[in-house]
Amino acid sequence: MSNTLKEVLASNKKYSENFTKGSLSLPPARKFAILTCMDARLDPAKFAGLNEGDAHVIRNAGGRASDDAIRSLVISHKLLGTQEWFVIHHTDCGMQLFTNEIMGNLLFETLDTSEFDGKNWRNPNAKGGSIEGKFINWLTFANLEQSVVDDVSRLRYHPLVPPYIPIYGFIYDVRTGKLIEVPKAMEIGKPR
Amino acid sequence: MSNTLKEVLASNKKYSENFTKGSLSLPPARKFAILTCMDARLDPAKFAGLNEGDAHVIRNAGGRASDDAIRSLVISHKLLGTQEWFVIHHTDCGMQLFTNEIMGNLLFETLDTSEFDGKNWRNPNAKGGSIEGKFINWLTFANLEQSVVDDVSRLRYHPLVPPYIPIYGFIYDVRTGKLIEVPKAMEIGKPR
């Protein structure tokens, strides 16, 4: 068993020994959802003041309003009653450090994908890596504020998103722990 | 300003006033990633013992190995160095309570999508809702253990996932706070 696995299970043992949250119900008590980045430095429960049971938290690379984030948010609202959504990107995000082209080439050229079995390439076109990465939109971005505006805008005008849900756009500053409003996103995200 | 927004900003003010994590670096210090559900009752930092900076956390409805979760995990490994991944679904998950058909019909039949402007339907086929929901795979599941096995398996055999990354499959019990191993998923998730 790896050290990581041992440590996670030891932490979980401690957490469950003092567990007092066993009777919470399924729908979020505070009726809102946060979409943010997977970045290790972000702890949405801490930076937004959430207790267990309060709010949905959706996280992916960049905190982007991907199709899958929309799947999650529509379920969050329609089946589980959230009425307000936050989109929170952050400073020093990895998604600003590369592009679709860089990622596609990197995965095509390097050795450690499952198309290599240790001896042979199962796919003769997978020279050094896999072509698959070139068929994925990695959802990188060049401008942080604009990425928040774009994502709030995509949600605001999505056919499955009700016009009365406020969508708030923020940037989390990893140096200060502060949430900074993105005014243009807040304007676009207002209920219509 | 809504009460929710006020409360979140007040909590963030407190958090940032005592903020000591401003010098953490971008790659996760403990080199692992967790894929889990957006459910409000789950606090992965607490149940798995994570401090800011330790690990990537990816969350969506169900904690499913969606295309977007794979996008995030591949970035997590290839660009930011995570070497072990956890897939953690949970008891009493909303994704077991409905099906693609139910969700598609619900969104087609009910009134609160943005295709209704308060007076008129912009799409004449959007009678009472939107057809869009029928074109989305909502990634519901009927069997909890099997969903973990399926998702670990999808990751294990994905062409962009290196064979040497261990993928662990667990169920989080919302009544007890405990992580429960899914043996079949652990077997499939082993490095090959």
Short mmCIF file of all heavy atoms in Angstrom, two decimals, chain A residues 2 4 12 22 26 38 40-41 47 52-53 57 59-61 66 68 71-72 78 84 110 112-114 138 158-159 161-162 164 175 177 179, chain B residues 2 4 12 22 26 38 40-41 46-47 52-53 57 59-61 66 68 71-72 78 84 110 112-114 138 158-159 161-162 164 175 177 179:
data_model
loop_
_atom_site.label_atom_id
_atom_site.label_comp_id
_atom_site.label_asym_id
_atom_site.label_seq_id
_atom_site.Cartn_x
_atom_site.Cartn_y
_atom_site.Cartn_z
N SER A 2 0.59 2.21 -0.89
CA SER A 2 1.43 3.40 -1.00
C SER A 2 1.29 4.28 0.24
O SER A 2 0.28 4.22 0.94
CB SER A 2 1.04 4.21 -2.25
OG SER A 2 -0.08 5.04 -1.98
N THR A 4 0.78 7.47 0.26
CA THR A 4 -0.38 8.36 0.04
C THR A 4 -1.66 7.68 0.49
O THR A 4 -2.46 8.26 1.23
CB THR A 4 -0.47 8.73 -1.46
OG1 THR A 4 0.66 9.53 -1.79
CG2 THR A 4 -1.74 9.51 -1.76
N ASN A 12 -8.76 9.76 7.17
CA ASN A 12 -10.18 9.47 7.13
C ASN A 12 -10.65 8.78 8.40
O ASN A 12 -11.76 9.02 8.89
CB ASN A 12 -10.53 8.62 5.91
CG ASN A 12 -12.01 8.30 5.85
OD1 ASN A 12 -12.44 7.16 6.06
ND2 ASN A 12 -12.83 9.31 5.62
N GLY A 22 -23.80 12.88 10.20
CA GLY A 22 -24.43 11.74 9.55
C GLY A 22 -25.89 11.90 9.20
O GLY A 22 -26.47 11.06 8.53
N LEU A 26 -29.78 15.43 1.50
CA LEU A 26 -29.14 15.48 0.18
C LEU A 26 -29.10 16.90 -0.43
O LEU A 26 -28.04 17.35 -0.87
CB LEU A 26 -29.86 14.45 -0.71
CG LEU A 26 -29.55 14.32 -2.19
CD1 LEU A 26 -28.07 14.12 -2.44
CD2 LEU A 26 -30.32 13.15 -2.78
N MET A 38 -9.63 22.85 -9.88
CA MET A 38 -9.12 21.72 -9.09
C MET A 38 -7.85 22.08 -8.32
O MET A 38 -7.38 21.29 -7.49
CB MET A 38 -8.82 20.54 -10.01
CG MET A 38 -7.63 20.74 -10.94
SD MET A 38 -7.33 19.25 -11.95
CE MET A 38 -5.95 19.80 -12.96
N ALA A 40 -4.71 22.69 -6.19
CA ALA A 40 -4.50 22.18 -4.83
C ALA A 40 -4.51 23.28 -3.77
O ALA A 40 -4.84 23.02 -2.61
CB ALA A 40 -3.16 21.43 -4.78
N ARG A 41 -4.21 24.50 -4.17
CA ARG A 41 -4.13 25.59 -3.19
C ARG A 41 -5.50 26.14 -2.79
O ARG A 41 -5.61 26.89 -1.83
CB ARG A 41 -3.26 26.72 -3.76
CG ARG A 41 -1.83 26.31 -3.95
CD ARG A 41 -1.09 27.29 -4.84
NE ARG A 41 -1.62 27.26 -6.21
CZ ARG A 41 -1.15 28.00 -7.19
NH1 ARG A 41 -0.17 28.85 -6.98
NH2 ARG A 41 -1.66 27.91 -8.41
N PHE A 47 -12.35 28.96 1.95
CA PHE A 47 -12.33 30.35 1.46
C PHE A 47 -13.74 30.94 1.29
O PHE A 47 -13.90 32.16 1.24
CB PHE A 47 -11.44 30.54 0.23
CG PHE A 47 -11.96 30.07 -1.11
CD1 PHE A 47 -13.14 30.53 -1.67
CD2 PHE A 47 -11.19 29.18 -1.88
CE1 PHE A 47 -13.58 30.12 -2.92
CE2 PHE A 47 -11.61 28.77 -3.14
CZ PHE A 47 -12.81 29.24 -3.65
N GLU A 52 -20.13 21.12 5.95
CA GLU A 52 -20.71 19.96 5.26
C GLU A 52 -22.23 20.16 5.15
O GLU A 52 -22.88 20.52 6.14
CB GLU A 52 -20.42 18.66 6.02
CG GLU A 52 -18.98 18.21 5.97
CD GLU A 52 -18.18 18.62 7.21
OE1 GLU A 52 -18.45 19.73 7.76
OE2 GLU A 52 -17.31 17.82 7.62
N GLY A 53 -22.75 19.93 3.95
CA GLY A 53 -24.19 20.05 3.75
C GLY A 53 -24.64 21.39 3.17
O GLY A 53 -25.80 21.54 2.79
N VAL A 57 -20.12 21.82 -4.73
CA VAL A 57 -18.83 22.32 -5.21
C VAL A 57 -18.43 21.49 -6.43
O VAL A 57 -18.28 20.27 -6.34
CB VAL A 57 -17.74 22.23 -4.13
CG1 VAL A 57 -16.41 22.78 -4.68
CG2 VAL A 57 -18.14 23.02 -2.89
N ARG A 59 -15.59 21.11 -9.45
CA ARG A 59 -14.21 21.53 -9.72
C ARG A 59 -13.63 20.80 -10.91
O ARG A 59 -13.82 19.58 -11.06
CB ARG A 59 -13.32 21.29 -8.49
CG ARG A 59 -13.81 22.01 -7.26
CD ARG A 59 -12.95 21.78 -6.03
NE ARG A 59 -11.61 22.33 -6.16
CZ ARG A 59 -10.71 22.32 -5.16
NH1 ARG A 59 -11.01 21.76 -3.99
NH2 ARG A 59 -9.51 22.85 -5.34
N ASN A 60 -12.93 21.52 -11.78
CA ASN A 60 -12.22 20.90 -12.89
C ASN A 60 -10.99 21.76 -13.19
O ASN A 60 -10.77 22.78 -12.54
CB ASN A 60 -13.16 20.76 -14.11
CG ASN A 60 -13.66 22.09 -14.65
OD1 ASN A 60 -12.92 23.07 -14.70
ND2 ASN A 60 -14.92 22.14 -15.06
N ALA A 61 -10.20 21.35 -14.16
CA ALA A 61 -9.01 22.12 -14.52
C ALA A 61 -9.45 23.48 -15.04
O ALA A 61 -10.10 23.58 -16.10
CB ALA A 61 -8.18 21.38 -15.56
N SER A 66 -17.45 23.96 -18.63
CA SER A 66 -17.44 22.88 -19.61
C SER A 66 -18.83 22.26 -19.71
O SER A 66 -19.69 22.50 -18.86
CB SER A 66 -16.46 21.80 -19.14
OG SER A 66 -16.88 21.32 -17.87
N ASP A 68 -19.53 19.34 -18.98
CA ASP A 68 -19.73 18.53 -17.78
C ASP A 68 -20.08 19.40 -16.56
O ASP A 68 -20.87 18.99 -15.71
CB ASP A 68 -18.46 17.72 -17.48
CG ASP A 68 -18.75 16.56 -16.56
OD1 ASP A 68 -19.69 15.79 -16.86
OD2 ASP A 68 -18.07 16.42 -15.53
N ARG A 71 -23.70 20.07 -17.05
CA ARG A 71 -24.43 18.88 -16.58
C ARG A 71 -24.62 18.95 -15.06
O ARG A 71 -25.74 18.82 -14.53
CB ARG A 71 -23.65 17.61 -16.96
CG ARG A 71 -24.28 16.31 -16.43
CD ARG A 71 -23.44 15.07 -16.78
NE ARG A 71 -22.18 14.98 -16.05
CZ ARG A 71 -22.03 14.45 -14.83
NH1 ARG A 71 -23.06 13.93 -14.20
NH2 ARG A 71 -20.84 14.43 -14.25
N SER A 72 -23.54 19.22 -14.35
CA SER A 72 -23.59 19.22 -12.89
C SER A 72 -24.45 20.36 -12.36
O SER A 72 -25.27 20.18 -11.45
CB SER A 72 -22.17 19.31 -12.33
OG SER A 72 -21.40 18.21 -12.77
N LYS A 78 -31.95 21.93 -10.81
CA LYS A 78 -33.27 21.38 -11.17
C LYS A 78 -33.69 20.25 -10.23
O LYS A 78 -34.86 20.12 -9.90
CB LYS A 78 -33.18 20.87 -12.61
CG LYS A 78 -34.50 20.53 -13.22
CD LYS A 78 -35.28 21.77 -13.58
CE LYS A 78 -36.68 21.43 -14.06
NZ LYS A 78 -37.49 22.63 -14.23
N GLU A 84 -28.42 29.96 -6.76
CA GLU A 84 -27.38 30.94 -7.08
C GLU A 84 -26.10 30.17 -7.37
O GLU A 84 -25.81 29.18 -6.72
CB GLU A 84 -27.13 31.88 -5.89
CG GLU A 84 -28.31 32.78 -5.54
CD GLU A 84 -28.12 33.49 -4.20
OE1 GLU A 84 -27.38 34.49 -4.16
OE2 GLU A 84 -28.70 33.04 -3.19
N THR A 110 5.30 12.15 -26.15
CA THR A 110 5.97 11.57 -24.98
C THR A 110 5.44 10.19 -24.65
O THR A 110 4.34 9.79 -25.03
CB THR A 110 5.87 12.50 -23.77
OG1 THR A 110 4.51 12.81 -23.57
CG2 THR A 110 6.66 13.77 -24.01
N ASP A 112 4.59 8.19 -21.98
CA ASP A 112 3.89 7.51 -20.90
C ASP A 112 2.38 7.47 -21.01
O ASP A 112 1.67 7.77 -20.08
CB ASP A 112 4.30 8.13 -19.57
CG ASP A 112 4.05 9.62 -19.54
OD1 ASP A 112 3.67 10.17 -20.60
OD2 ASP A 112 4.21 10.23 -18.48
N THR A 113 1.86 7.09 -22.17
CA THR A 113 0.42 6.84 -22.23
C THR A 113 0.20 5.35 -22.34
O THR A 113 1.13 4.58 -22.60
CB THR A 113 -0.25 7.54 -23.43
OG1 THR A 113 0.06 6.77 -24.60
CG2 THR A 113 0.24 8.96 -23.60
N SER A 114 -1.04 4.93 -22.17
CA SER A 114 -1.32 3.50 -22.13
C SER A 114 -1.24 2.86 -23.51
O SER A 114 -1.41 1.66 -23.65
CB SER A 114 -2.68 3.25 -21.51
OG SER A 114 -3.68 3.72 -22.37
N TRP A 138 -8.61 21.40 -24.40
CA TRP A 138 -8.09 21.43 -23.01
C TRP A 138 -8.59 22.63 -22.23
O TRP A 138 -8.32 22.76 -21.04
CB TRP A 138 -6.55 21.35 -23.04
CG TRP A 138 -6.12 20.04 -23.63
CD1 TRP A 138 -5.81 19.79 -24.94
CD2 TRP A 138 -6.05 18.78 -22.96
NE1 TRP A 138 -5.55 18.46 -25.11
CE2 TRP A 138 -5.68 17.81 -23.92
CE3 TRP A 138 -6.25 18.36 -21.64
CZ2 TRP A 138 -5.52 16.46 -23.60
CZ3 TRP A 138 -6.09 17.02 -21.31
CH2 TRP A 138 -5.74 16.09 -22.29
N HIS A 158 -27.00 29.68 -21.75
CA HIS A 158 -27.22 28.26 -22.07
C HIS A 158 -28.72 27.95 -22.01
O HIS A 158 -29.41 28.38 -21.08
CB HIS A 158 -26.45 27.38 -21.08
CG HIS A 158 -26.42 25.94 -21.52
ND1 HIS A 158 -27.48 25.09 -21.34
CD2 HIS A 158 -25.46 25.23 -22.18
CE1 HIS A 158 -27.16 23.89 -21.85
NE2 HIS A 158 -25.96 23.97 -22.36
N PRO A 159 -29.23 27.20 -23.01
CA PRO A 159 -30.68 26.94 -23.05
C PRO A 159 -31.23 26.19 -21.82
O PRO A 159 -32.43 26.24 -21.58
CB PRO A 159 -30.87 26.12 -24.33
CG PRO A 159 -29.51 25.69 -24.76
CD PRO A 159 -28.55 26.67 -24.20
N VAL A 161 -30.25 26.80 -18.67
CA VAL A 161 -30.05 27.60 -17.46
C VAL A 161 -31.17 28.64 -17.33
O VAL A 161 -31.30 29.51 -18.19
CB VAL A 161 -28.68 28.29 -17.48
CG1 VAL A 161 -28.53 29.25 -16.30
CG2 VAL A 161 -27.57 27.24 -17.46
N PRO A 162 -31.96 28.55 -16.28
CA PRO A 162 -33.06 29.50 -16.09
C PRO A 162 -32.54 30.93 -15.96
O PRO A 162 -31.50 31.16 -15.34
CB PRO A 162 -33.70 29.06 -14.78
CG PRO A 162 -33.26 27.65 -14.57
CD PRO A 162 -31.92 27.54 -15.22
N TYR A 164 -33.49 33.32 -14.20
CA TYR A 164 -33.60 33.97 -12.88
C TYR A 164 -32.48 33.58 -11.92
O TYR A 164 -32.43 34.08 -10.80
CB TYR A 164 -34.96 33.68 -12.25
CG TYR A 164 -35.30 32.21 -12.15
CD1 TYR A 164 -34.67 31.38 -11.23
CD2 TYR A 164 -36.25 31.64 -13.01
CE1 TYR A 164 -34.99 30.04 -11.15
CE2 TYR A 164 -36.56 30.29 -12.94
CZ TYR A 164 -35.94 29.50 -12.00
OH TYR A 164 -36.24 28.16 -11.94
N ARG A 175 -2.36 34.34 -3.52
CA ARG A 175 -1.36 34.97 -2.64
C ARG A 175 -2.00 35.55 -1.38
O ARG A 175 -1.37 35.62 -0.34
CB ARG A 175 -0.62 36.10 -3.38
CG ARG A 175 0.16 35.66 -4.58
CD ARG A 175 1.44 34.90 -4.22
NE ARG A 175 1.88 34.10 -5.36
CZ ARG A 175 2.14 32.79 -5.31
NH1 ARG A 175 2.03 32.11 -4.18
NH2 ARG A 175 2.51 32.14 -6.39
N GLY A 177 -5.60 34.91 -0.50
CA GLY A 177 -6.81 34.21 -0.07
C GLY A 177 -8.09 34.98 -0.33
O GLY A 177 -9.17 34.56 0.10
N LEU A 179 -11.27 36.78 -2.45
CA LEU A 179 -12.12 36.73 -3.64
C LEU A 179 -12.27 38.14 -4.20
O LEU A 179 -12.64 39.06 -3.48
CB LEU A 179 -13.51 36.19 -3.28
CG LEU A 179 -13.59 34.70 -2.97
CD1 LEU A 179 -14.98 34.34 -2.44
CD2 LEU A 179 -13.26 33.86 -4.21
N SER B 2 -27.44 39.59 -2.59
CA SER B 2 -28.17 38.51 -1.91
C SER B 2 -27.49 38.14 -0.60
O SER B 2 -26.30 38.39 -0.41
CB SER B 2 -28.23 37.28 -2.81
OG SER B 2 -27.02 36.53 -2.70
N THR B 4 -26.75 35.20 0.42
CA THR B 4 -25.71 34.20 0.13
C THR B 4 -24.40 34.89 -0.25
O THR B 4 -23.33 34.56 0.28
CB THR B 4 -26.17 33.29 -1.03
OG1 THR B 4 -27.28 32.52 -0.58
CG2 THR B 4 -25.06 32.36 -1.49
N ASN B 12 -15.12 34.92 3.41
CA ASN B 12 -13.85 35.05 2.72
C ASN B 12 -12.98 36.14 3.36
O ASN B 12 -11.76 36.01 3.43
CB ASN B 12 -14.07 35.35 1.23
CG ASN B 12 -12.77 35.51 0.49
OD1 ASN B 12 -12.38 36.59 0.10
ND2 ASN B 12 -12.02 34.41 0.34
N GLY B 22 0.10 31.96 1.30
CA GLY B 22 0.34 32.73 0.09
C GLY B 22 1.57 32.33 -0.71
O GLY B 22 1.76 32.81 -1.82
N LEU B 26 2.43 25.91 -7.38
CA LEU B 26 1.34 25.40 -8.21
C LEU B 26 1.19 23.87 -8.19
O LEU B 26 0.08 23.36 -7.98
CB LEU B 26 1.57 25.95 -9.64
CG LEU B 26 0.69 25.56 -10.80
CD1 LEU B 26 -0.77 25.80 -10.54
CD2 LEU B 26 1.11 26.33 -12.05
N MET B 38 -19.92 16.35 -6.41
CA MET B 38 -20.15 17.74 -5.95
C MET B 38 -21.01 17.81 -4.69
O MET B 38 -21.17 18.88 -4.11
CB MET B 38 -20.88 18.52 -7.06
CG MET B 38 -22.31 18.06 -7.32
SD MET B 38 -23.10 19.10 -8.60
CE MET B 38 -24.72 18.30 -8.70
N ALA B 40 -23.01 18.29 -1.46
CA ALA B 40 -22.71 19.28 -0.42
C ALA B 40 -22.20 18.65 0.88
O ALA B 40 -21.47 19.30 1.64
CB ALA B 40 -23.97 20.11 -0.13
N ARG B 41 -22.56 17.40 1.12
CA ARG B 41 -22.16 16.76 2.39
C ARG B 41 -20.70 16.31 2.40
O ARG B 41 -20.17 15.95 3.44
CB ARG B 41 -23.09 15.56 2.66
CG ARG B 41 -24.51 15.97 2.91
CD ARG B 41 -25.46 14.81 2.80
NE ARG B 41 -25.49 14.28 1.43
CZ ARG B 41 -26.26 13.26 1.05
NH1 ARG B 41 -27.04 12.66 1.93
NH2 ARG B 41 -26.25 12.85 -0.21
N LYS B 46 -11.46 17.65 4.34
CA LYS B 46 -11.63 17.09 5.69
C LYS B 46 -11.59 15.56 5.69
O LYS B 46 -10.92 14.95 6.51
CB LYS B 46 -12.95 17.57 6.30
CG LYS B 46 -12.93 19.03 6.74
CD LYS B 46 -14.19 19.32 7.57
CE LYS B 46 -14.32 20.81 7.86
NZ LYS B 46 -15.69 21.13 8.32
N PHE B 47 -12.33 14.93 4.79
CA PHE B 47 -12.43 13.46 4.90
C PHE B 47 -11.17 12.74 4.43
O PHE B 47 -10.95 11.58 4.80
CB PHE B 47 -13.72 12.91 4.27
CG PHE B 47 -13.81 12.81 2.76
CD1 PHE B 47 -12.91 12.07 2.02
CD2 PHE B 47 -14.87 13.40 2.08
CE1 PHE B 47 -13.03 11.93 0.65
CE2 PHE B 47 -15.01 13.29 0.70
CZ PHE B 47 -14.08 12.55 -0.01
N GLU B 52 -4.26 23.07 2.22
CA GLU B 52 -4.08 23.83 0.99
C GLU B 52 -2.71 23.49 0.38
O GLU B 52 -1.70 23.47 1.09
CB GLU B 52 -4.14 25.34 1.27
CG GLU B 52 -5.53 25.87 1.60
CD GLU B 52 -5.76 25.98 3.10
OE1 GLU B 52 -5.21 25.15 3.87
OE2 GLU B 52 -6.50 26.91 3.50
N GLY B 53 -2.71 23.20 -0.91
CA GLY B 53 -1.47 22.90 -1.60
C GLY B 53 -1.17 21.41 -1.77
O GLY B 53 -0.24 21.05 -2.48
N VAL B 57 -8.35 18.43 -6.51
CA VAL B 57 -9.68 17.89 -6.23
C VAL B 57 -10.59 18.23 -7.40
O VAL B 57 -10.78 19.41 -7.73
CB VAL B 57 -10.28 18.44 -4.92
CG1 VAL B 57 -11.67 17.84 -4.68
CG2 VAL B 57 -9.36 18.15 -3.74
N ARG B 59 -14.39 17.67 -9.00
CA ARG B 59 -15.73 17.29 -8.54
C ARG B 59 -16.78 17.58 -9.60
O ARG B 59 -16.76 18.63 -10.24
CB ARG B 59 -16.09 18.05 -7.25
CG ARG B 59 -15.12 17.78 -6.13
CD ARG B 59 -15.45 18.54 -4.86
NE ARG B 59 -16.69 18.07 -4.24
CZ ARG B 59 -17.14 18.52 -3.06
NH1 ARG B 59 -16.48 19.45 -2.40
NH2 ARG B 59 -18.26 18.04 -2.54
N ASN B 60 -17.71 16.63 -9.77
CA ASN B 60 -18.83 16.84 -10.68
C ASN B 60 -20.01 16.03 -10.15
O ASN B 60 -19.87 15.34 -9.12
CB ASN B 60 -18.45 16.44 -12.12
CG ASN B 60 -18.11 14.96 -12.26
OD1 ASN B 60 -18.74 14.10 -11.66
ND2 ASN B 60 -17.10 14.66 -13.08
N ALA B 61 -21.15 16.11 -10.81
CA ALA B 61 -22.31 15.35 -10.36
C ALA B 61 -22.00 13.86 -10.46
O ALA B 61 -21.82 13.34 -11.56
CB ALA B 61 -23.54 15.71 -11.18
N SER B 66 -16.01 11.46 -16.39
CA SER B 66 -16.49 12.10 -17.63
C SER B 66 -15.29 12.52 -18.48
O SER B 66 -14.15 12.55 -18.01
CB SER B 66 -17.29 13.34 -17.26
OG SER B 66 -16.47 14.22 -16.50
N ASP B 68 -14.59 15.44 -19.22
CA ASP B 68 -14.01 16.62 -18.59
C ASP B 68 -13.16 16.24 -17.37
O ASP B 68 -12.14 16.89 -17.11
CB ASP B 68 -15.13 17.58 -18.17
CG ASP B 68 -14.60 18.97 -17.90
OD1 ASP B 68 -13.91 19.51 -18.80
OD2 ASP B 68 -14.85 19.52 -16.82
N ARG B 71 -9.97 15.16 -18.93
CA ARG B 71 -9.20 16.37 -19.27
C ARG B 71 -8.43 16.86 -18.04
O ARG B 71 -7.22 17.09 -18.07
CB ARG B 71 -10.16 17.47 -19.76
CG ARG B 71 -9.50 18.82 -20.01
CD ARG B 71 -10.51 19.90 -20.47
NE ARG B 71 -11.39 20.34 -19.41
CZ ARG B 71 -11.11 21.31 -18.51
NH1 ARG B 71 -9.96 21.96 -18.57
NH2 ARG B 71 -11.98 21.62 -17.57
N SER B 72 -9.13 16.97 -16.93
CA SER B 72 -8.52 17.51 -15.71
C SER B 72 -7.44 16.58 -15.16
O SER B 72 -6.35 17.03 -14.78
CB SER B 72 -9.60 17.74 -14.65
OG SER B 72 -10.58 18.65 -15.13
N LYS B 78 0.17 15.10 -16.17
CA LYS B 78 1.20 15.39 -17.19
C LYS B 78 1.87 16.74 -16.98
O LYS B 78 3.07 16.89 -17.18
CB LYS B 78 0.53 15.35 -18.56
CG LYS B 78 1.49 15.33 -19.71
CD LYS B 78 2.12 13.97 -19.88
CE LYS B 78 3.24 14.00 -20.91
NZ LYS B 78 3.97 12.73 -20.91
N GLU B 84 -0.87 9.49 -8.38
CA GLU B 84 -1.88 8.54 -7.89
C GLU B 84 -3.22 9.23 -7.92
O GLU B 84 -3.31 10.42 -7.62
CB GLU B 84 -1.58 8.13 -6.43
CG GLU B 84 -0.29 7.36 -6.27
CD GLU B 84 0.10 7.19 -4.79
OE1 GLU B 84 -0.50 6.35 -4.10
OE2 GLU B 84 1.00 7.93 -4.34
N THR B 110 -40.74 21.31 -18.35
CA THR B 110 -40.96 22.34 -17.33
C THR B 110 -40.46 23.71 -17.75
O THR B 110 -39.63 23.85 -18.66
CB THR B 110 -40.33 21.93 -15.99
OG1 THR B 110 -38.97 21.63 -16.21
CG2 THR B 110 -41.06 20.74 -15.40
N ASP B 112 -38.79 26.51 -16.61
CA ASP B 112 -37.78 27.49 -16.21
C ASP B 112 -36.44 27.37 -16.91
O ASP B 112 -35.40 27.36 -16.29
CB ASP B 112 -37.59 27.45 -14.69
CG ASP B 112 -37.24 26.06 -14.22
OD1 ASP B 112 -37.25 25.13 -15.05
OD2 ASP B 112 -36.96 25.90 -13.03
N THR B 113 -36.45 27.28 -18.22
CA THR B 113 -35.18 27.37 -18.93
C THR B 113 -35.12 28.69 -19.66
O THR B 113 -36.12 29.39 -19.80
CB THR B 113 -34.98 26.23 -19.95
OG1 THR B 113 -35.75 26.55 -21.10
CG2 THR B 113 -35.40 24.90 -19.39
N SER B 114 -33.94 29.04 -20.15
CA SER B 114 -33.78 30.36 -20.76
C SER B 114 -34.43 30.44 -22.14
O SER B 114 -34.43 31.49 -22.75
CB SER B 114 -32.30 30.72 -20.84
OG SER B 114 -31.69 29.88 -21.78
N TRP B 138 -26.58 12.35 -18.80
CA TRP B 138 -26.52 12.88 -17.43
C TRP B 138 -25.65 12.03 -16.51
O TRP B 138 -25.40 12.40 -15.37
CB TRP B 138 -27.94 13.06 -16.89
CG TRP B 138 -28.67 14.09 -17.72
CD1 TRP B 138 -29.48 13.86 -18.80
CD2 TRP B 138 -28.58 15.52 -17.60
NE1 TRP B 138 -29.88 15.05 -19.35
CE2 TRP B 138 -29.36 16.09 -18.63
CE3 TRP B 138 -27.92 16.37 -16.70
CZ2 TRP B 138 -29.48 17.47 -18.79
CZ3 TRP B 138 -28.06 17.75 -16.87
CH2 TRP B 138 -28.82 18.29 -17.90
N HIS B 158 -7.99 4.24 -20.58
CA HIS B 158 -8.02 5.41 -21.47
C HIS B 158 -6.64 5.62 -22.11
O HIS B 158 -5.62 5.50 -21.43
CB HIS B 158 -8.42 6.66 -20.67
CG HIS B 158 -8.73 7.83 -21.56
ND1 HIS B 158 -7.76 8.63 -22.11
CD2 HIS B 158 -9.91 8.31 -22.02
CE1 HIS B 158 -8.34 9.56 -22.86
NE2 HIS B 158 -9.64 9.40 -22.83
N PRO B 159 -6.63 5.93 -23.43
CA PRO B 159 -5.33 6.04 -24.11
C PRO B 159 -4.41 7.13 -23.58
O PRO B 159 -3.20 7.09 -23.83
CB PRO B 159 -5.70 6.31 -25.57
CG PRO B 159 -7.15 6.65 -25.58
CD PRO B 159 -7.74 6.03 -24.36
N VAL B 161 -4.03 7.81 -20.33
CA VAL B 161 -3.69 7.53 -18.93
C VAL B 161 -2.53 6.53 -18.86
O VAL B 161 -2.67 5.40 -19.33
CB VAL B 161 -4.91 7.00 -18.16
CG1 VAL B 161 -4.51 6.56 -16.75
CG2 VAL B 161 -6.00 8.06 -18.10
N PRO B 162 -1.40 6.95 -18.31
CA PRO B 162 -0.24 6.05 -18.23
C PRO B 162 -0.56 4.81 -17.39
O PRO B 162 -1.26 4.92 -16.39
CB PRO B 162 0.81 6.91 -17.53
CG PRO B 162 0.39 8.32 -17.72
CD PRO B 162 -1.11 8.29 -17.78
N TYR B 164 1.17 3.20 -15.37
CA TYR B 164 1.83 3.07 -14.06
C TYR B 164 1.14 3.88 -12.96
O TYR B 164 1.57 3.84 -11.81
CB TYR B 164 3.30 3.48 -14.16
CG TYR B 164 3.54 4.84 -14.77
CD1 TYR B 164 3.25 6.00 -14.05
CD2 TYR B 164 4.05 4.96 -16.06
CE1 TYR B 164 3.46 7.25 -14.61
CE2 TYR B 164 4.26 6.21 -16.62
CZ TYR B 164 3.97 7.34 -15.90
OH TYR B 164 4.17 8.57 -16.46
N ARG B 175 -23.23 8.68 6.06
CA ARG B 175 -23.75 8.50 7.43
C ARG B 175 -22.63 8.41 8.46
O ARG B 175 -22.79 8.80 9.59
CB ARG B 175 -24.63 7.24 7.52
CG ARG B 175 -25.85 7.24 6.65
CD ARG B 175 -26.96 8.19 7.14
NE ARG B 175 -27.86 8.55 6.04
CZ ARG B 175 -28.16 9.80 5.70
NH1 ARG B 175 -27.66 10.84 6.34
NH2 ARG B 175 -28.98 10.04 4.71
N GLY B 177 -19.03 9.02 7.55
CA GLY B 177 -17.81 9.74 7.18
C GLY B 177 -16.67 8.83 6.76
O GLY B 177 -15.55 9.30 6.53
N LEU B 179 -14.45 6.13 4.41
CA LEU B 179 -14.12 5.68 3.06
C LEU B 179 -14.09 4.15 3.05
O LEU B 179 -13.39 3.53 3.86
CB LEU B 179 -12.75 6.21 2.63
CG LEU B 179 -12.68 7.70 2.30
CD1 LEU B 179 -11.21 8.12 2.09
CD2 LEU B 179 -13.51 8.02 1.05
#
